[in-house]
Amino acid sequence: MASSDGDGSSESIVDIDTNEKGLGAVKTLLQGQSSGGAPKQVVLAFSQLSVAARDVGTVYAKTLPKAIFNTFGVDQFNFVKNLFPKEASTSANTNVRKILTDFTGLVKPGEMLFVLGRPGSGCSTFLRATANRSTLGVTGHLSFANVDAPEFGKRHQRETIYLPEEDRHIAALSVSQTIRFALRMSLPSKIRTEQLVEELVLVMGKIFGIEHALDTPVGGQFFPGVSGGERKRVSIAEVLAAGSSVQCFDNSTRGLDSSTALDFVKALRKLTDLGQKTTLATLYQAGENIYSHFDKVLLIDQGHQVFFGRTEEAKAYFEDLGYIPMPGETTAEFLTNITDPTQRRAKPGSKAENIATPQQLSAAFKESAHFARLLQEINQSERQLTADTSPIPSSAYNLSYPHQILECLRREYQLIKGRRRVYYTKWVTTIILSLTVGSLYFDLTVTAQGAFTRGGLLFFALILNGWLQFPELFDAHTNRPVLERQASLNLYRPSAVAVARFLIDLPLIAFQHVLFIMPFYFLARLQVDAGKFFFFYLTLVISTVNFSNLLRGFAYYVASLDDCKHSVKLSML
């Protein structure tokens, strides 16, 4: 089956039910993620769920003169000061702003929840909270398979995932390499074979309509690759490979046309059905064909829950309140417009006519039969889960630490091959700079007259090769969200990536310095002695490796790229 999705893709979601070999491979994957049993099923339940954040007050934007002035020490001082934040005030005068207020709901395995609301209503905050990824103050009851959220986060961290609007991947890796890495890291050693991994890569390509793009780089903001719709399907394939049970997708159809957005939702539906996943997604401008793929809908109005229930019941509920749909309006548009006082229309004399605020709309829902039935479903689900004594498999790493390093090292090698032109450019630049600087210091005298100049020459050689590693800061900071997401899924320990990158750096930096030192050393007429030559070479290699890892350390620890630059400036003092 083929269709044009409007942004470069020529294939659509396909059905593998008739392909026994492909279906068997997917079942093997799901059983492997469940320690050989049935697919893991995690029930998401929440009641009186609220999210609040401290109000920081007025935030002033920098003017250009102030930004330039702050560069000379002020920004560096503020960065160091922020490393030691003061304890939050516990006084009653502390301003707290509620973002979400008293949410109640239940999402079972195999169900898809459509989180609907206007921009700024709190959809993203809700998804982060239900994915157990919120950094704000979360109160109320939130449980996963009847396990409280804090305990579930400690023991089953990989079972929940939150995917933001932008699809973040390592841009230089191909689609097949991205999926293959997730499979190799998530499959248990006892069932993982090269044949199974390759078969699953092909099957996932067919399932999500990206078979034709398996050898194409994933791409990103500054790197060409697959189209936006295909990149989103790669994200879903990676989630399936990683084995998360609760998946939250935040406005993942942004920037896609209607056909591509429909293919994305079809892929979500396929993933949810195959693995009995608990899926939550927020989408804007959803057509009727997209809306019909979801089982339940949650409508949010300025942080208040105004409806939770079956998708086919939502429109009738609001019509019973007295709201009137506009001609030609889709169900999703009708529900969203109800949260907009300037767009909604109510019948004269109806209950809806007296509703003016989100609080009143939320109170009307809590007085309805839908809310009473929801509470009954939650109580019944909790009783069933209490009776079910089968534990959820823990989130242990599937590979030993040495094997994690080996797989990360393999990915680093693939990344270098994908970005080989960057290294070719760096090596050519190294030769040019070596010849240029060496010729400037050509034939230095060996007397005391040239001692001071020779010291500057040696310092220049050290600092030049260190600054040639500066692109590592941008690469590491760009790929940090990918590392954090994969580490949260327990695919590997973050330190395994650090060790792998250190190991791959050694031959690259060693070769780079061979290109630099051969013309530089002899043009400057440094002492022609084997011991001193190799000692200088070793010093250059060690200093460059240390500086490269220092840059990566700042990229992983410091929040913004600007602060990373300030940190590097401080480290150079």
Side-chain angles (χ1 to χ4, degrees):
M1 183 174 70
S3 68
S4 175
D5 64 14
D7 67 346
S9 175
S10 60
E11 295 190 19
S12 184
I13 310 302
V14 300
D15 197 339
I16 63 164
D17 291 343
T18 57
N19 187 337
E20 294 183 1
K21 183 178 180 180
L23 189 58
V26 173
K27 288 181 178 179
T28 302
L29 169 65
L30 297 174
Q31 290 174 356
Q33 294 169 348
S34 316
S35 302
K40 292 173 288 186
Q41 299 185 13
V42 176
V43 178
L44 171 64
F46 50 93
S47 60
Q48 297 181 339
L49 180 69
S50 299
V51 179
R54 187 168 61 91
D55 191 350
V56 296
T58 306
V59 178
Y60 295 96
K62 292 180 183 178
T63 60
L64 180 59
K66 188 173 181 62
I68 296 175
F69 174 78
N70 287 358
T71 304
F72 300 97
V74 177
D75 284 341
Q76 289 83 350
F77 172 77
N78 290 333
F79 169 73
V80 174
K81 185 179 70 173
N82 292 333
L83 294 178
F84 308 97
K86 297 180 180 179
E87 293 185 3
S89 175
T90 57
S91 65
N93 295 327
T94 303
N95 293 324
V96 176
R97 178 177 174 234
K98 270 200 171 185
I99 302 175
L100 301 179
T101 304
D102 293 340
F103 277 54
T104 301
L106 176 70
V107 189
K108 299 179 181 179
E111 290 184 341
M112 290 176 58
L113 174 66
F114 189 8
V115 183
L116 196 57
R118 289 185 296 160
S121 61
C123 296
S124 298
T125 303
F126 172 78
L127 290 179
R128 290 192 191 95
T130 51
N132 224 8
R133 296 288 190 274
S134 180
T135 57
L136 304 177
V138 179
T139 58
H141 178 68
L142 174 64
S143 66
F144 303 86
N146 215 22
V147 179
D148 289 338
E151 181 67 20
F152 192 86
K154 294 177 182 178
R155 298 174 54 192
H156 311 285
Q157 186 179 16
R158 73 183 305 170
E159 297 302 327
T160 60
I161 185 172
Y162 168 78
L163 290 178
E165 294 183 13
E166 297 181 2
D167 295 274
R168 298 291 186 91
H169 297 280
I170 300 179
L173 295 180
S174 68
V175 172
S176 61
Q177 289 170 343
T178 301
I179 300 175
R180 188 179 294 113
F181 177 79
L183 288 169
R184 293 182 64 86
M185 300 300 289
S186 60
L187 281 171
S189 301
K190 60 183 179 181
I191 67 170
R192 188 182 68 252
T193 63
E194 289 295 332
Q195 180 180 358
L196 176 61
V197 170
E198 294 303 319
E199 185 179 337
L200 282 169
V201 170
L202 294 176
V203 170
M204 287 186 179
K206 292 179 180 179
I207 293 175
F208 300 116
I210 52 177
E211 185 181 16
H212 63 288
L214 288 177
D215 296 326
T216 306
V218 177
Q221 187 176 3
F222 305 107
F223 198 96
V226 298
S227 66
E230 291 166 339
R231 192 176 300 119
K232 292 184 183 299
R233 298 182 207 171
V234 174
S235 299
I236 303 176
E238 186 182 44
V239 171
L240 174 59
S244 296
S245 299
V246 179
Q247 308 156 110
C248 299
F249 296 87
D250 189 356
N251 195 20
S252 295
T253 59
R254 189 187 69 170
L256 302 183
D257 59 37
S258 58
S259 177
T260 310
L262 177 59
D263 282 343
F264 171 81
V265 175
K266 286 182 178 179
L268 277 188
R269 183 77 263 177
K270 177 65 67 176
L271 170 61
T272 304
D273 293 340
L274 283 175
Q276 285 298 290
K277 307 296 184 181
T278 304
T279 303
L280 295 81
T282 177
L283 310 172
Y284 296 127
Q285 298 179 344
E288 203 67 43
N289 48 2
I290 291 178
Y291 181 84
S292 62
H293 280 82
F294 288 87
D295 302 290
K296 294 179 178 179
V297 60
L298 166 65
L299 184 59
I300 304 176
D301 184 6
Q302 297 183 28
H304 294 270
Q305 176 185 357
V306 297
F307 183 80
F308 186 100
R310 307 295 301 182
T311 52
E312 61 272 14
E313 298 175 353
K315 185 175 182 179
Y317 164 75
F318 286 105
E319 286 180 334
D320 291 341
L321 283 180
Y323 289 106
I324 305 172
M326 298 283 288
E329 206 173 38
T330 65
T331 304
E333 290 173 340
F334 170 62
L335 297 179
T336 305
N337 287 340
I338 287 173
T339 64
D340 186 352
T342 63
Q343 296 291 330
R344 62 192 180 202
R345 297 190 307 169
K347 296 178 182 178
S350 66
K351 186 176 182 179
E353 191 178 25
N354 298 322
I355 296 177
T357 64
Q359 293 84 349
Q360 293 174 337
L361 199 56
S362 176
F365 170 67
K366 291 180 179 179
E367 294 172 358
S368 67
H370 294 274
F371 186 74
R373 187 167 66 246
L374 174 61
L375 294 178
Q376 292 177 357
E377 291 179 2
I378 294 175
N379 292 333
Q380 183 180 2
S381 175
E382 290 178 348
R383 287 195 298 268
Q384 292 176 349
L385 290 171
T386 303
D388 185 7
T389 58
S390 57
I392 303 174
S394 62
S395 297
Y397 295 97
N398 288 322
L399 298 183
S400 63
Y401 189 67
H403 280 89
Q404 292 176 28
I405 296 175
L406 184 62
E407 292 297 333
C408 291
L409 192 61
R410 177 185 298 190
R411 184 175 66 172
E412 292 299 319
Y413 174 72
Q414 294 171 344
L415 182 58
I416 290 170
K417 285 185 64 179
R419 301 175 66 246
R420 54 187 177 273
R421 292 184 180 178
V422 175
Y423 290 94
Y424 293 158
T425 304
K426 181 189 288 188
W427 293 337
V428 171
T429 303
T430 300
I431 295 173
I432 294 174
L433 290 174
S434 174
L435 292 171
T436 303
V437 178
S439 63
L440 288 175
Y441 292 93
F442 178 70
D443 201 16
L444 283 176
T445 61
V446 295
T447 62
Q449 185 178 0
F452 183 78
T453 305
R454 189 174 288 106
L457 169 68
L458 298 178
F459 175 77
F460 188 84
L462 289 171
I463 201 68
L464 174 65
N465 284 280
W467 280 106
L468 282 175
Q469 302 303 115
F470 201 81
E472 295 291 342
L473 177 68
F474 301 98
D475 293 339
H477 195 274
T478 301
N479 293 330
R480 187 174 74 173
V482 181
L483 186 150
E484 291 174 343
R485 182 180 73 241
Q486 294 180 343
S488 69
L489 294 172
N490 278 14
L491 295 185
Y492 51 72
R493 300 179 187 273
S495 59
V497 178
V499 173
R501 289 179 176 173
F502 168 76
L503 294 176
I504 203 71
D505 269 350
L506 293 179
L508 291 173
I509 293 176
F511 179 70
Q512 173 186 323
H513 287 332
V514 168
L515 298 177
F516 177 82
I517 200 173
M518 292 301 292
F520 175 84
Y521 193 90
F522 296 105
L523 280 174
R525 201 184 173 191
L526 298 176
Q527 297 182 36
V528 184
D529 180 88
K532 295 178 179 179
F533 174 84
F534 285 108
F535 179 78
F536 179 55
Y537 174 75
L538 181 62
T539 303
L540 279 180
V541 171
I542 293 176
S543 64
T544 306
V545 169
N546 287 337
F547 191 74
S548 178
N549 284 281
L550 176 67
L551 293 172
R552 290 198 186 109
F554 286 136
Y556 294 146
Y557 177 72
V558 182
S560 68
L561 194 57
D562 286 338
D563 287 339
C564 287
K565 296 175 184 177
H566 299 323
S567 305
V568 174
K569 292 176 186 177
L570 288 173
S571 69
M572 297 300 293
L573 296 178

